[in-house]
Amino acid sequence: MSLVAGVDSSTQSTKVVLVHAETGEIVDSGRASHPEGTECPPEAWWEALQEAGKGLLEQAEAVSVSGQQHGMVALDEHDEVVRDALLWNDTRSAPQAERLTAESGADAWAADTGLVLAASFTVTKLAWLAEHEPENAAKTVSVMLPHDWLTMKLRGATASEATTDRSDASGTGYWSAATGEYVPDRLVQAFGRRLALPRVAAPNEIVGRTPRGAMVAPGTGDNAGAALGLGLGPGDVVVSLGTSGTVFGVSDVPAADPTGLVAGFADATGRYLPLVCTLNAARVLDTLRGLLGVDHAEFDALALAAAPGAGGLTLLPYLDGERTPNRPNATGVLSGLTTGATRADLARAAVEGMLSAQADGLAALAAQGLDAARVLLIGGAAASEAVRRTAPGVFGVDVEVPPAAEYVALGAAKQAAWALSGRDTPPQWNVGEPARYHGSAVAAVSEQYSTLRDETAPWASHR
Ligand SMILES: Nc1ncnc2c1ncn2[C@@H]1O[C@H](COP(=O)(O)OP(=O)(O)O)[C@@H](O)[C@H]1O
Ligand SMILES: O=C(CO)[C@@H](O)[C@H](O)COP(=O)(O)O
């Protein structure tokens, strides 16, 4: 039976899965950490891939890389990186996002690229580079995304041979999911001149081979990887709780939301992936857990010991600034603190605050016509029992948690298996029965949260 490898090069780590191409059964897996911070030398991802993939990549007949989206990898004429990559969660390009939006208007950006600009998107990072590091900008001849760069390295290819895919191209701000074409004028508007860009490969294309001869598939943005790994259908909406919180579903029509809440991404199969992304998710729990001095299990026990509403405590979880809503300079706000507050209330407020931000994402997707018939919870923080049990009350819908797996890496593996098969459609793999969590909406939680969110809006731009 053929083996294929799928890679998730995400914000905090690289995960590799080795699976049977026909069934999707996971044979082995590996993991390696990335450095902290919102910029990163791409070489660190390459080293993490070697470590996480040791003994696995060698066995694969085909391999595919999914990666954190939007990161700017700028290369010079020798294909050397010009500076550390600026990651999706780096907010320094917020002024450039604001300027570019003001120049053309949010409606025009949404119509041309499917996006209303926030600091996350690559095009704003290029504008920052041009403005703040003219020497590095002058050296730059090509730009690509983290998964494009890793795919190029796996093939031993040059930047002129590099490829990307629809899903990741759709997060740049200079490619349109609606037309399937680059929008070079938008890149020139931001950077001042044209740059070489990776070719956008077909979803199941074989873009090259590793030096050992394994086929290389085009790869995907990480959220599209998860959608492929889960085999999303109509009515399925994913809430992914990693470093980012993402809320997304697959659609047959591209989104162009002029409010900027929903990003009009493409998926990894030829369809579309309307998506809402917050900068803050699992790390909100990590931070509060650190302050409380407890491990994951103790944190869950605390959060579950408190009543819904956390005794009136509300956490607005914009700890690292925020992207949705667009408040890049915001900080977290804890409201309702009294002498009666307990450690349990604090843990619960963190869980409720993080989930409430995702509930806003569900509402934004619904406003774009993507109503959730079921919500699938994945990502690192979906392992938390407190998160699982609290989610239905915050979202107002039942929640399913698929069996624990790295769904982004699994999606990449599925793409590799698809390319290897030469078929028109991806393989159908059974991911197993989800755990189901029931509950009805707790009005007090959403009221506390939306009041704090709206009250803080006028002053939330001060950091
Ligand atoms: N049991 C748990 N409860 C809550 N958070 C968890 C648990 N296990 C892992 N995490 C968190 O999940 C995050 C990593 O998730 P992951 O989806 O791999 O992130 P990313 O894709 O952004 O690298 C970390 O912040 C980690 O602390
Ligand atoms: O910016 C986005 C999506 O638009 C993020 O979802 C990144 O793609 C990073 O993902 P994680 O590493 O948090 O999974």
Side-chain angles (χ1 to χ4, degrees):
M1 210 184 254
S2 302
L3 294 174
V4 292
V7 178
D8 174 13
S9 178
S10 70
T11 312
Q12 297 189 43
S13 63
T14 296
K15 305 123 191 181
V16 178
V17 294
L18 185 69
V19 308
H20 283 301
E22 288 78 13
T23 62
E25 185 197 336
I26 296 173
V27 176
D28 206 349
S29 62
R31 182 187 199 103
S33 292
H34 293 170
E36 283 287 322
T38 61
E39 54 177 43
C40 184
E43 201 59 36
W45 304 325
W46 181 246
E47 282 163 19
L49 175 55
Q50 304 312 309
E51 189 184 333
K54 203 168 176 9
L56 310 181
L57 295 175
E58 295 85 334
Q59 299 182 56
E61 283 185 43
V63 59
S64 163
V65 182
S66 288
Q68 54 175 316
Q69 297 190 248
H70 319 306
M72 178 191 70
V73 182
L75 302 180
D76 68 13
E77 60 181 334
H78 306 295
D79 295 351
E80 297 294 334
V81 294
V82 162
R83 71 175 324 286
D84 288 355
L86 294 185
L87 306 189
W88 65 278
N89 52 355
D90 188 291
T91 55
R92 78 185 71 182
S93 58
Q96 287 71 32
E98 208 171 311
R99 172 172 60 76
L100 291 167
T101 308
E103 280 173 15
S104 311
D107 288 4
W109 278 98
D112 277 9
T113 70
L115 308 177
V116 175
L117 297 186
S120 291
F121 299 127
T122 326
V123 73
T124 71
K125 299 178 192 300
L126 284 168
W128 181 90
L129 187 70
E131 208 172 301
H132 289 270
E133 295 185 352
E135 284 180 15
N136 282 335
K139 282 192 263 177
T140 301
V141 301
S142 64
V143 64
M144 58 186 69
L145 299 165
H147 110 253
D148 309 337
W149 186 82
L150 285 164
T151 305
M152 178 183 80
K153 289 275 283 183
L154 270 177
R155 294 166 54 202
T158 62
S160 61
E161 298 162 335
T163 53
T164 188
D165 86 306
R166 292 172 70 250
S167 68
D168 232 5
S170 64
T172 57
Y174 43 84
W175 189 82
S176 162
T179 65
E181 303 285 344
Y182 278 115
V183 192
D185 289 355
R186 292 299 184 189
L187 193 150
V188 172
Q189 181 181 356
F191 192 66
R193 63 181 163 87
R194 285 193 176 222
L195 288 169
L197 299 169
R199 179 178 67 80
V200 183
N204 58 344
E205 188 178 322
I206 297 160
V207 298
R209 289 188 181 261
T210 65
R212 288 186 33 257
M215 293 174 185
V216 181
T220 71
D222 55 1
N223 294 291
L228 184 58
L230 288 161
L232 290 194
D236 291 342
V237 172
V238 171
V239 176
S240 172
L241 302 169
T243 312
S244 62
T246 53
V247 185
F248 56 90
V250 288
S251 167
D252 290 327
V253 286
D257 176 9
T259 72
L261 296 177
V262 177
F265 294 162
D267 86 339
T269 67
R271 294 174 293 173
Y272 303 93
L273 195 81
L275 178 146
V276 180
C277 178
T278 65
L279 286 190
N280 300 281
R283 278 184 167 154
V284 175
L285 307 191
D286 290 342
T287 302
L288 271 290
R289 194 166 55 73
L291 293 173
L292 289 165
V294 291
D295 64 16
H296 286 304
E298 291 163 335
F299 181 85
D300 279 357
L302 278 173
L304 289 169
L313 267 192
T314 308
L315 179 70
L316 192 66
Y318 303 160
L319 307 196
D320 286 329
E322 192 43 88
R323 157 172 164 190
T324 319
N326 190 8
R327 299 186 193 180
N329 301 315
T331 54
V333 179
L334 186 64
S335 144
L337 197 57
T338 67
T339 49
T342 64
R343 285 157 55 81
D345 289 333
L346 202 53
R348 176 127 202 147
V351 172
E352 289 179 347
M354 177 193 71
L355 289 172
S356 295
Q358 311 313 314
D360 282 351
L362 287 167
L365 270 196
Q368 287 290 307
L370 218 96
D371 274 307
R374 67 170 184 157
V375 169
L376 298 159
L377 210 56
I378 63 164
S384 158
E385 193 60 25
V387 168
R388 294 169 174 215
R389 289 205 215 161
T390 307
V394 178
F395 297 164
V397 289
D398 293 345
V399 162
E400 297 188 5
V401 185
E406 294 296 345
Y407 284 100
V408 176
L410 197 65
K414 191 185 273 191
Q415 190 195 56
W418 185 13
L420 184 66
S421 75
R423 297 196 189 107
D424 290 340
T425 52
Q428 305 266 322
W429 292 343
N430 184 356
V431 297
E433 276 301 295
R436 295 188 168 82
Y437 292 79
H438 307 285
S440 43
V442 183
V445 175
S446 61
E447 279 164 23
Q448 277 176 213
Y449 183 82
S450 53
T451 302
L452 183 60
R453 180 198 60 211
D454 297 343
E455 275 175 4
T456 53
W459 54 267
S461 61
H462 300 288
R463 197 165 177 83

